[in-house]
Amino acid sequence: MAKRGSRRGAAGGAERACPCGTGRPYDECCAPLHRGEADAPTAEALMRSRFSAFAVGDAGYLLRSWHESTRPARLDLDPARRWTRLEIVDTARGGLFDGTGTVEFRAHYRDGGRPGTQTERSRFVRADGRWVYLDAEQR
């Protein structure tokens, strides 16, 4: 999920459902992770919070939750791309007591009014006790 414009505000966050698809309010779901008040307990939770960060335009969180060995120096998000829905297809490991995990997902978006889907199998690792995104598995 590359490029997205400037961070969108989270006004009305308490009332709106979190973009990650849990059905919970954004302010009780991914917003605490985005604000640095909590860490994702699992690789899947981190994946969901990263999707939400794309959806709300939080490039800072995306960079902070990216492993330092693969993190780009900067991330410019595309303002024309609107991330609309996340489907978790599969997870392997990535639990409370694991050090690595993978999450396969389908991220749905609209770009210039046209629908699209990005499918990826992301790899996650624990770094300093926190889950971080490492990279996408090559197929």
Coordinates of all heavy atoms in Angstrom, one line a residue, residues 41-102:
P41 N -0.8 -6.0 20.1 CA -0.4 -7.3 20.8 C -0.1 -8.4 19.8 O 0.6 -9.4 20.3 CB -1.7 -7.6 21.6 CG -2.8 -7.0 20.8 CD -2.2 -5.8 20.2
T42 N -0.5 -8.4 18.6 CA -0.3 -9.5 17.6 C 0.1 -8.9 16.3 O -0.1 -7.7 16.0 CB -1.5 -10.3 17.4 OG1 -2.6 -9.6 16.8 CG2 -2.0 -11.0 18.8
A43 N 0.6 -9.7 15.4 CA 1.0 -9.3 14.1 C -0.3 -8.9 13.3 O -0.3 -7.9 12.6 CB 1.7 -10.4 13.3
E44 N -1.4 -9.6 13.5 CA -2.6 -9.2 12.8 C -3.1 -7.9 13.3 O -3.6 -7.0 12.5 CB -3.7 -10.3 13.0 CG -5.0 -9.9 12.3 CD -6.1 -10.9 12.4 OE1 -5.9 -12.1 12.5 OE2 -7.3 -10.5 12.4
A45 N -3.0 -7.6 14.6 CA -3.5 -6.3 15.1 C -2.6 -5.2 14.5 O -3.1 -4.1 14.2 CB -3.4 -6.3 16.6
L46 N -1.3 -5.5 14.4 CA -0.5 -4.4 13.7 C -0.9 -4.2 12.3 O -0.9 -3.1 11.8 CB 1.0 -4.8 13.8 CG 1.9 -3.7 13.3 CD1 1.8 -2.4 14.0 CD2 3.4 -4.2 13.2
M47 N -1.1 -5.3 11.6 CA -1.6 -5.2 10.2 C -2.8 -4.4 10.1 O -2.9 -3.5 9.2 CB -1.8 -6.6 9.6 CG -2.4 -6.7 8.2 SD -1.2 -5.9 7.0 CE -2.2 -4.6 6.4
R48 N -3.8 -4.6 10.9 CA -5.0 -3.9 10.9 C -4.8 -2.4 11.2 O -5.3 -1.5 10.6 CB -6.0 -4.5 12.0 CG -6.6 -5.8 11.5 CD -7.6 -6.3 12.6 NE -8.2 -7.6 12.1 CZ -9.2 -7.7 11.2 NH1 -9.7 -6.6 10.7 NH2 -9.7 -8.8 10.9
S49 N -3.9 -2.1 12.2 CA -3.6 -0.7 12.5 C -2.9 0.0 11.4 O -3.1 1.2 11.2 CB -2.8 -0.7 13.8 OG -1.5 -1.1 13.7
R50 N -2.1 -0.8 10.7 CA -1.4 -0.2 9.5 C -2.4 0.1 8.4 O -2.3 1.2 7.8 CB -0.2 -1.0 9.1 CG 1.0 -1.0 10.0 CD 2.1 -1.9 9.6 NE 2.6 -1.6 8.3 CZ 3.5 -0.7 7.9 NH1 4.0 0.1 8.9 NH2 3.8 -0.5 6.7
F51 N -3.3 -0.8 8.2 CA -4.3 -0.5 7.2 C -5.1 0.8 7.6 O -5.3 1.7 6.8 CB -5.3 -1.7 7.0 CG -6.4 -1.3 6.1 CD1 -6.3 -1.4 4.7 CD2 -7.6 -0.8 6.6 CE1 -7.3 -1.1 3.8 CE2 -8.7 -0.5 5.7 CZ -8.5 -0.6 4.4
S52 N -5.5 0.9 8.8 CA -6.2 2.0 9.3 C -5.4 3.3 9.2 O -5.9 4.4 8.8 CB -6.6 1.9 10.8 OG -7.6 0.9 10.9
A53 N -4.1 3.2 9.4 CA -3.2 4.4 9.2 C -3.2 4.8 7.7 O -3.2 6.0 7.4 CB -1.8 4.0 9.6
F54 N -3.2 3.9 6.8 CA -3.3 4.2 5.4 C -4.7 4.9 5.2 O -4.8 5.9 4.5 CB -3.2 3.0 4.4 CG -1.8 2.7 4.1 CD1 -1.2 1.6 4.8 CD2 -1.1 3.3 3.1 CE1 0.1 1.3 4.5 CE2 0.2 3.0 2.8 CZ 0.8 2.0 3.5
A55 N -5.7 4.4 5.8 CA -7.1 4.9 5.6 C -7.2 6.3 6.1 O -8.0 7.1 5.5 CB -8.1 4.0 6.2
V56 N -6.6 6.6 7.2 CA -6.7 8.0 7.8 C -5.5 8.9 7.4 O -5.5 10.0 7.8 CB -6.8 7.9 9.4 CG1 -8.1 7.1 9.8 CG2 -5.6 7.4 10.0
G57 N -4.6 8.3 6.6 CA -3.5 9.2 6.2 C -2.4 9.4 7.2 O -1.8 10.5 7.2
D58 N -2.1 8.5 8.1 CA -1.1 8.7 9.1 C 0.2 8.0 8.7 O 0.6 7.0 9.2 CB -1.6 8.0 10.4 CG -0.8 8.4 11.6 OD1 0.4 8.9 11.5 OD2 -1.3 8.2 12.7
A59 N 1.0 8.8 7.9 CA 2.3 8.3 7.4 C 3.3 8.1 8.6 O 4.1 7.2 8.5 CB 2.8 9.2 6.3
G60 N 3.2 9.0 9.6 CA 4.1 8.9 10.7 C 4.0 7.5 11.4 O 5.0 6.9 11.8
Y61 N 2.8 7.1 11.6 CA 2.6 5.8 12.3 C 3.1 4.7 11.4 O 3.7 3.7 11.9 CB 1.1 5.5 12.6 CG 0.9 4.2 13.2 CD1 1.2 3.9 14.5 CD2 0.4 3.1 12.4 CE1 1.1 2.6 15.1 CE2 0.2 1.8 13.0 CZ 0.6 1.6 14.3 OH 0.4 0.4 14.8
L62 N 2.8 4.8 10.1 CA 3.3 3.7 9.2 C 4.9 3.6 9.3 O 5.4 2.5 9.4 CB 2.9 4.0 7.8 CG 1.4 3.9 7.6 CD1 1.0 4.5 6.3 CD2 1.0 2.4 7.6
L63 N 5.5 4.7 9.3 CA 7.0 4.7 9.4 C 7.4 4.2 10.8 O 8.4 3.4 10.9 CB 7.6 6.1 9.2 CG 7.5 6.6 7.7 CD1 7.8 8.0 7.6 CD2 8.3 5.7 6.8
R64 N 6.8 4.6 11.9 CA 7.1 4.1 13.2 C 6.9 2.6 13.4 O 7.6 2.0 14.2 CB 6.3 4.9 14.3 CG 6.8 6.3 14.5 CD 6.1 7.0 15.7 NE 4.7 6.8 15.8 CZ 3.8 7.6 15.2 NH1 4.2 8.6 14.4 NH2 2.5 7.4 15.3
S65 N 6.0 2.1 12.7 CA 5.6 0.6 12.8 C 6.3 -0.2 11.8 O 6.0 -1.4 11.6 CB 4.1 0.4 12.8 OG 3.6 0.8 11.5
W66 N 7.3 0.3 11.1 CA 8.1 -0.3 10.1 C 9.5 -0.7 10.6 O 10.1 0.2 11.3 CB 8.3 0.6 8.9 CG 8.4 0.0 7.6 CD1 9.2 -1.0 7.2 CD2 7.8 0.5 6.4 NE1 9.1 -1.2 5.8 CE2 8.2 -0.3 5.3 CE3 6.9 1.5 6.1 CZ2 7.8 -0.1 4.0 CZ3 6.5 1.7 4.8 CH2 6.9 0.9 3.8
H67 N 10.0 -1.9 10.4 CA 11.3 -2.3 10.9 C 12.4 -1.4 10.3 O 12.3 -1.1 9.2 CB 11.6 -3.8 10.5 CG 12.7 -4.3 11.3 ND1 14.0 -4.2 10.8 CD2 12.8 -5.0 12.4 CE1 14.8 -4.8 11.6 NE2 14.1 -5.3 12.6
E68 N 13.3 -1.0 11.2 CA 14.3 -0.1 10.8 C 15.2 -0.6 9.6 O 15.7 0.2 8.8 CB 15.2 0.3 11.9 CG 16.0 -0.8 12.5 CD 16.9 -0.5 13.7 OE1 16.8 0.6 14.2 OE2 17.7 -1.3 14.1
S69 N 15.3 -1.9 9.4 CA 16.1 -2.4 8.3 C 15.5 -2.3 7.0 O 16.2 -2.4 5.9 CB 16.5 -3.9 8.6 OG 15.4 -4.7 8.5
T70 N 14.2 -2.1 6.9 CA 13.5 -2.0 5.6 C 12.6 -0.8 5.5 O 12.1 -0.5 4.4 CB 12.5 -3.2 5.4 OG1 11.6 -3.3 6.6 CG2 13.3 -4.6 5.3
R71 N 12.6 0.1 6.5 CA 11.8 1.3 6.5 C 12.4 2.3 5.5 O 13.6 2.6 5.5 CB 11.8 1.9 7.9 CG 11.1 3.2 8.0 CD 11.0 3.7 9.5 NE 12.3 3.7 10.1 CZ 12.5 3.2 11.3 NH1 11.6 2.6 12.0 NH2 13.7 3.2 11.8
P72 N 11.6 2.9 4.7 CA 12.0 4.0 3.8 C 12.3 5.3 4.6 O 11.8 5.4 5.7 CB 10.9 4.2 2.8 CG 9.7 3.8 3.6 CD 10.1 2.6 4.5
A73 N 13.1 6.1 4.1 CA 13.4 7.4 4.8 C 12.2 8.3 4.9 O 12.0 9.0 5.9 CB 14.5 8.2 4.0
R74 N 11.3 8.2 4.0 CA 10.0 8.9 4.0 C 8.9 8.2 3.3 O 9.2 7.3 2.5 CB 10.2 10.3 3.5 CG 10.7 10.4 2.0 CD 10.7 11.8 1.5 NE 9.4 12.0 0.9 CZ 9.1 13.2 0.4 NH1 9.9 14.2 0.4 NH2 7.9 13.3 -0.1
L75 N 7.7 8.6 3.5 CA 6.6 7.9 2.9 C 5.6 9.0 2.4 O 5.1 9.7 3.3 CB 5.9 7.0 3.9 CG 4.7 6.1 3.4 CD1 5.2 5.2 2.3 CD2 4.2 5.3 4.5
D76 N 5.4 9.1 1.1 CA 4.4 10.0 0.6 C 3.2 9.2 0.2 O 3.2 8.4 -0.7 CB 5.0 10.7 -0.6 CG 6.2 11.6 -0.3 OD1 6.1 12.3 0.7 OD2 7.2 11.6 -1.0
L77 N 2.1 9.6 0.8 CA 0.8 8.8 0.6 C 0.0 9.5 -0.5 O 0.0 10.8 -0.6 CB 0.0 8.7 1.9 CG 0.8 8.0 3.0 CD1 0.0 8.1 4.3 CD2 1.1 6.6 2.7
D78 N -0.6 8.8 -1.4 CA -1.3 9.3 -2.5 C -2.7 9.7 -2.1 O -3.5 8.9 -1.7 CB -1.4 8.2 -3.6 CG -2.1 8.6 -4.8 OD1 -2.7 9.7 -4.9 OD2 -2.1 7.8 -5.8
P79 N -3.0 11.0 -2.2 CA -4.3 11.5 -1.7 C -5.5 11.0 -2.6 O -6.6 11.1 -2.1 CB -4.2 13.0 -1.8 CG -3.1 13.3 -2.7 CD -2.2 12.1 -2.7
A80 N -5.2 10.6 -3.8 CA -6.3 10.1 -4.6 C -6.7 8.6 -4.3 O -7.8 8.2 -4.7 CB -5.9 10.1 -6.1
R81 N -5.9 7.9 -3.5 CA -6.2 6.6 -3.1 C -6.9 6.5 -1.8 O -6.4 7.0 -0.8 CB -5.0 5.7 -3.1 CG -5.3 4.2 -2.8 CD -4.2 3.3 -3.1 NE -4.1 3.2 -4.6 CZ -3.3 2.5 -5.2 NH1 -2.4 1.8 -4.6 NH2 -3.3 2.4 -6.5
R82 N -8.2 6.0 -1.8 CA -9.0 5.9 -0.5 C -9.1 4.4 -0.2 O -9.7 3.6 -0.9 CB -10.4 6.5 -0.8 CG -10.4 7.9 -1.2 CD -10.1 8.8 -0.1 NE -10.1 10.2 -0.6 CZ -9.5 11.2 0.0 NH1 -8.8 11.0 1.1 NH2 -9.6 12.4 -0.5
W83 N -8.5 4.0 0.9 CA -8.5 2.7 1.4 C -9.9 2.4 2.1 O -10.2 3.1 3.0 CB -7.4 2.4 2.3 CG -6.1 2.5 1.6 CD1 -5.3 3.6 1.6 CD2 -5.5 1.5 0.8 NE1 -4.2 3.4 0.8 CE2 -4.3 2.1 0.3 CE3 -5.8 0.2 0.4 CZ2 -3.4 1.4 -0.6 CZ3 -5.0 -0.4 -0.5 CH2 -3.8 0.2 -1.0
T84 N -10.6 1.4 1.6 CA -12.0 1.3 2.0 C -12.3 0.1 2.8 O -13.3 0.1 3.6 CB -12.9 1.3 0.7 OG1 -12.5 0.2 -0.1 CG2 -12.8 2.6 -0.1
R85 N -11.6 -1.0 2.7 CA -12.0 -2.2 3.4 C -10.8 -3.2 3.4 O -10.0 -3.3 2.5 CB -13.1 -2.9 2.7 CG -13.7 -4.2 3.4 CD -15.0 -4.6 2.8 NE -15.0 -4.9 1.4 CZ -14.8 -6.1 0.8 NH1 -14.6 -7.1 1.6 NH2 -14.8 -6.2 -0.5
L86 N -10.6 -3.9 4.6 CA -9.6 -4.8 4.8 C -10.2 -6.2 5.0 O -11.1 -6.4 5.8 CB -8.7 -4.5 6.0 CG -7.6 -5.4 6.4 CD1 -6.5 -5.5 5.3 CD2 -7.0 -5.0 7.7
E87 N -9.6 -7.2 4.3 CA -10.0 -8.6 4.5 C -8.7 -9.3 4.9 O -7.7 -9.3 4.2 CB -10.4 -9.3 3.2 CG -11.8 -8.8 2.7 CD -12.0 -9.5 1.4 OE1 -12.4 -10.7 1.4 OE2 -11.9 -8.9 0.3
I88 N -8.7 -10.0 6.1 CA -7.6 -10.9 6.5 C -7.9 -12.2 5.9 O -8.9 -12.8 6.2 CB -7.5 -10.9 8.0 CG1 -7.3 -9.5 8.6 CG2 -6.4 -11.9 8.4 CD1 -6.0 -8.8 8.2
V89 N -6.9 -12.7 5.1 CA -7.1 -14.0 4.4 C -6.5 -15.1 5.2 O -7.1 -16.2 5.3 CB -6.4 -13.9 3.0 CG1 -6.5 -15.3 2.3 CG2 -7.1 -12.8 2.2
D90 N -5.4 -14.9 5.8 CA -4.7 -15.9 6.6 C -3.6 -15.3 7.5 O -3.1 -14.2 7.2 CB -4.0 -16.9 5.6 CG -3.4 -18.1 6.3 OD1 -4.0 -18.6 7.3 OD2 -2.3 -18.6 5.8
T91 N -3.4 -16.0 8.6 CA -2.3 -15.6 9.5 C -1.5 -16.8 9.9 O -2.1 -17.9 9.9 CB -2.8 -14.9 10.8 OG1 -3.7 -15.8 11.5 CG2 -3.6 -13.6 10.5
A92 N -0.2 -16.6 10.1 CA 0.7 -17.7 10.5 C 1.5 -17.1 11.6 O 2.2 -16.1 11.4 CB 1.5 -18.2 9.4
R93 N 1.5 -17.7 12.8 CA 2.2 -17.3 13.9 C 1.8 -15.8 14.2 O 0.6 -15.5 14.0 CB 3.7 -17.5 13.8 CG 4.0 -19.0 13.5 CD 5.5 -19.3 13.5 NE 6.3 -18.7 14.6 CZ 6.5 -19.3 15.8 NH1 6.0 -20.5 16.0 NH2 7.2 -18.8 16.7
G94 N 2.7 -15.0 14.8 CA 2.3 -13.7 15.1 C 1.5 -13.4 16.3 O 0.9 -12.4 16.5
G95 N 1.5 -14.4 17.2 CA 0.7 -14.3 18.4 C 1.4 -13.7 19.6 O 2.5 -13.1 19.4
L96 N 0.8 -13.7 20.7 CA 1.3 -13.0 21.9 C 2.7 -13.5 22.3 O 3.5 -12.8 22.8 CB 0.4 -13.2 23.1 CG -1.0 -12.6 22.9 CD1 -1.9 -13.0 24.1 CD2 -0.9 -11.1 22.8
F97 N 3.1 -14.8 22.0 CA 4.3 -15.4 22.4 C 5.3 -15.6 21.3 O 6.3 -16.3 21.4 CB 4.1 -16.6 23.3 CG 3.2 -16.3 24.5 CD1 1.9 -16.8 24.5 CD2 3.7 -15.6 25.5 CE1 1.1 -16.5 25.6 CE2 2.9 -15.3 26.6 CZ 1.6 -15.8 26.6
D98 N 4.9 -15.2 20.1 CA 5.8 -15.4 18.9 C 6.7 -14.3 18.6 O 6.5 -13.1 19.1 CB 4.9 -15.6 17.6 CG 4.0 -16.9 17.7 OD1 4.5 -17.9 18.1 OD2 2.9 -16.8 17.3
G99 N 7.8 -14.5 17.9 CA 8.7 -13.5 17.5 C 8.6 -13.1 16.1 O 9.1 -12.0 15.6
T100 N 7.9 -13.9 15.3 CA 7.6 -13.6 13.8 C 6.2 -14.0 13.5 O 5.6 -14.8 14.2 CB 8.6 -14.4 12.9 OG1 8.3 -15.8 13.1 CG2 10.1 -14.1 13.2
G101 N 5.7 -13.4 12.4 CA 4.4 -13.8 12.0 C 4.2 -13.3 10.6 O 4.9 -12.4 10.1
T102 N 3.2 -13.9 9.9 CA 2.8 -13.4 8.6 C 1.3 -13.2 8.6 O 0.6 -13.9 9.2 CB 3.2 -14.3 7.4 OG1 2.6 -15.6 7.7 CG2 4.7 -14.5 7.3

